[in-house]
Amino acid sequence: MPKKVKNIPVNVMVDHFDAGIAVERIFFSTSDEATLNASDEAKQAHREDRHSFFLLERGKVTVEIDFQKFEIEPSSIVYMHPDQVHRILKLEDVTVAAWGINNENLHPEYLKLLESLTPAKPLVLDQETFSILSEAVSLSIKFAKRKNDKLYHSLLRDSCNGLVALVISQYLAFTKSTDTTSRFKLIADAFKSALESNFIRIKSPTVYAQQLNISTPYLNECVKVATGYSVSHHIQQRVILEAKRLLYHSDKSVKEISSELGYDDYPYFSRFFSKAAGMSPLAFRNKNRE
């Protein structure tokens, strides 16, 4: 059973990192009390306050990301968006290279690409790419220690963005679409980006189409060709995901969650959730907390 909290905890970048950027190599040993305590904190469901990247170099990790469980082995990269709720379920002796960067320091083009990739599953890297990333992290860690350099922040920001670019390139190579669907994918990505920013306030496909300066039928066609699902389905599933996060990881009442997600009509929200999830909000909470 998860620890009950009013709000989903957010893991904030600690003060000894440069503002908005973190890069480090972390060791978790089953024989070391300090690292065991740190891993215990990671086992509590939480969000990060930045875009987070984890390169597993040694050991095994089982992680839950938004109700999906992943067993991760070395030479794998994991990207997590700030909205995603995750927790460590199990880890053995682990070495992980980790870096994080907030929106202000992230290259705007990379931010758009990461939004389009979310949710991204853990990705197994080939040995050459893994070695390059591991070496690049080691160099970035050295940059992070040169705090007296006049261009310290720029050096750290650019090196971290370089790491992000390497990861994005791998995800894009893995998920690349054919030329015949690229036009639809661009529009579908733009819709998903708009949805992520507005799903609490806007739940109408027509309004999203207006924001993108296209007709509602055309938006629906593009999204369905690119993803296999309608615009309405994506809107519904995004709301349901956030509702599940709050039901499972917080102690807010269903009425509070309904209001937070933009539904003043609590009975309507309860019916909406029940139809989409196959059970009532309280039944979902109780079932998953058993």
Side-chain angles (χ1 to χ4, degrees), residues 12-198:
V12 179
M13 250 183 277
V14 294
D15 292 338
H16 67 267
F17 288 115
D18 190 64
I21 304 171
V23 56
E24 58 184 332
R25 185 167 272 112
I26 309 167
F27 306 92
F28 289 107
S29 170
T30 53
S31 61
D32 182 79
E33 185 176 349
T35 56
L36 280 176
N37 289 337
S39 69
D40 285 341
E41 292 180 9
K43 288 176 182 177
Q44 294 296 327
H46 63 283
R47 288 177 164 128
E48 308 289 345
D49 68 341
R50 67 272 192 185
H51 298 268
S52 303
F53 303 81
F54 303 94
L55 180 69
L56 186 60
E57 298 179 324
R58 182 177 66 91
K60 294 182 180 180
V61 177
T62 304
V63 62
E64 181 187 83
I65 307 173
D66 281 334
F67 309 104
Q68 290 192 64
K69 185 170 75 172
F70 301 98
E71 294 181 356
I72 306 170
E73 298 189 351
S75 303
S76 295
I77 187 74
V78 183
Y79 161 65
M80 278 186 277
H81 187 279
D83 282 344
Q84 291 183 290
V85 180
H86 56 281
R87 60 181 176 137
I88 301 295
L89 299 178
K90 181 182 177 183
L91 55 79
E92 299 174 14
D93 288 344
V94 161
T95 301
V96 59
W99 59 99
I101 185 167
N102 62 14
N103 286 354
E104 289 72 23
N105 288 289
L106 189 60
H107 191 294
E109 180 186 357
Y110 302 164
L111 177 57
K112 289 181 181 179
L113 288 169
L114 288 174
E115 294 287 357
S116 71
L117 290 171
T118 304
K121 294 182 179 181
L123 186 63
V124 178
L125 303 174
D126 62 64
Q127 194 56 46
E128 181 182 3
T129 304
F130 170 76
S131 296
I132 291 172
L133 261 175
S134 184
E135 291 169 9
V137 171
S138 296
L139 185 59
S140 291
I141 291 173
K142 291 179 181 179
F143 290 154
K145 295 176 181 178
R146 298 181 61 85
K147 294 191 175 183
N148 293 326
D149 286 359
K150 289 197 176 289
L151 294 178
Y152 168 73
H153 181 80
S154 296
L155 185 63
L156 186 58
R157 182 190 62 221
D158 292 346
S159 67
C160 193
N161 271 288
L163 291 170
V164 173
L166 280 169
V167 174
I168 291 174
S169 295
Q170 296 309 302
Y171 273 108
L172 290 178
F174 182 75
T175 60
K176 66 180 179 179
S177 58
T178 63
D179 291 339
T180 56
T181 62
S182 60
R183 176 170 55 96
F184 298 115
K185 187 176 184 304
L186 285 173
I187 292 175
D189 287 346
F191 159 68
K192 287 192 288 184
S193 178
L195 175 63
E196 191 62 36
S197 301
N198 299 287

Side-chain angles (χ1 to χ4, degrees), residues 7 18 34-35 66 82 98 104 141 155 231 251 257 269 273 280 283:
N7 295 298
D18 190 64
T35 56
D66 281 334
E104 289 72 23
I141 291 173
L155 185 63
V231 171
D251 201 31
I257 293 171
F269 169 77
F273 183 95
S280 71

Side-chain angles (χ1 to χ4, degrees), residues 204-266:
S204 165
T206 299
V207 176
Y208 285 107
Q210 290 171 348
Q211 286 189 347
L212 298 174
N213 295 314
I214 57 178
S215 70
T216 304
Y218 184 60
L219 173 61
N220 223 11
E221 178 189 3
C222 292
V223 171
K224 197 156 189 177
V225 168
T227 70
Y229 296 99
S230 68
V231 171
S232 294
H233 175 85
H234 282 281
I235 296 171
Q236 177 194 74
Q237 290 304 304
R238 184 61 186 88
V239 173
I240 293 300
L241 172 59
E242 200 65 25
K244 286 180 176 179
R245 287 170 171 171
L246 292 167
L247 285 165
Y248 184 77
H249 297 297
S250 84
D251 201 31
K252 292 184 176 182
S253 69
V254 177
K255 191 171 184 179
E256 287 175 311
I257 293 171
S258 172
S259 178
E260 185 169 326
L261 295 179
Y263 294 91
D264 295 328
D265 186 342
Y266 159 62

